[in-house]
Amino acid sequence: MKKLLFLFCLSMLGCKTVEPLDDATANLNLWNEKKIVNYSFSFKRVCFCPLEYVGPHQIVVQNGKITTVNGAPYNAAERYGVMYTIPELLQVIKANVDKNPAKKVLNFNATYGYPTNVFFDFSEMMADEEIGYEVTNFKIN
């Protein structure tokens, strides 16, 4: 009887209620655990946008900051718009998840946590407000 009571108490200690994390938050935590600050990747927006904005764009990040886009020094005012580091992109994704979109697709790299393919449709009754992001060719430098 004492063993049974002990096992019951032990099992109760292991059971605690935890607020579930959305995929963006969990993957941001995974990314931050890796402490990657120098990397490169190809970034593409999926939207009804000008081609220069859509991409794909080749992004190089050094010491946690974007240094070049498409081989040129990064300038947020350029016609391709604001680019994101992986942590910034994960924050954008989390903000979009928090908007409770009508539809969403969330795919992340299991090893590093960066988004591979995400898509949001905020209103099924509205056209051209959808947005998505694709990250390919990720490489640690």
Side-chain angles (χ1 to χ4, degrees):
M1 182 70 167
K2 285 183 181 180
K3 280 186 183 180
L4 188 57
L5 182 60
F6 174 76
L7 289 174
F8 174 76
C9 291
L10 189 59
S11 69
M12 293 307 289
L13 289 174
C15 298
K16 53 184 170 181
T17 306
V18 178
E19 189 68 30
L21 297 174
D22 64 71
D23 286 348
T25 300
N27 283 287
L28 178 59
N29 291 339
L30 176 59
W31 174 266
N32 288 336
E33 287 172 12
K34 303 295 182 179
K35 300 185 187 318
I36 302 168
V37 295
N38 298 316
Y39 55 96
S40 60
F41 62 98
S42 180
F43 175 69
K44 182 178 178 182
R45 290 181 181 92
V46 179
C47 58
F48 187 71
C49 307
L51 193 55
E52 308 83 45
Y53 188 74
V54 170
H57 301 287
Q58 303 306 312
I59 298 177
V60 175
V61 176
Q62 294 177 330
N63 296 319
K65 298 188 186 299
I66 297 174
T67 55
T68 64
V69 175
N70 301 330
Y74 176 56
N75 179 350
E78 289 291 327
R79 65 180 180 205
Y80 45 73
V82 175
M83 297 288 127
Y84 304 108
T85 63
I86 296 296
E88 290 168 342
L89 183 55
L90 287 164
Q91 291 289 350
V92 167
I93 292 166
K94 181 180 179 341
N96 285 338
V97 167
D98 291 345
K99 292 177 185 176
N100 295 316
K103 291 183 181 176
K104 65 183 174 187
V105 173
L106 300 169
N107 294 303
F108 298 89
N109 176 276
T111 304
Y112 299 107
Y114 65 83
T116 55
N117 181 348
V118 298
F119 184 78
F120 300 95
D121 184 355
F122 296 101
S123 173
E124 292 177 319
M125 304 302 288
M126 197 181 298
D128 302 334
E129 94 306 340
E130 304 91 355
I131 187 72
Y133 307 101
E134 295 177 1
V135 171
T136 57
N137 303 318
F138 175 81
K139 186 175 104 178
I140 299 172
N141 300 332

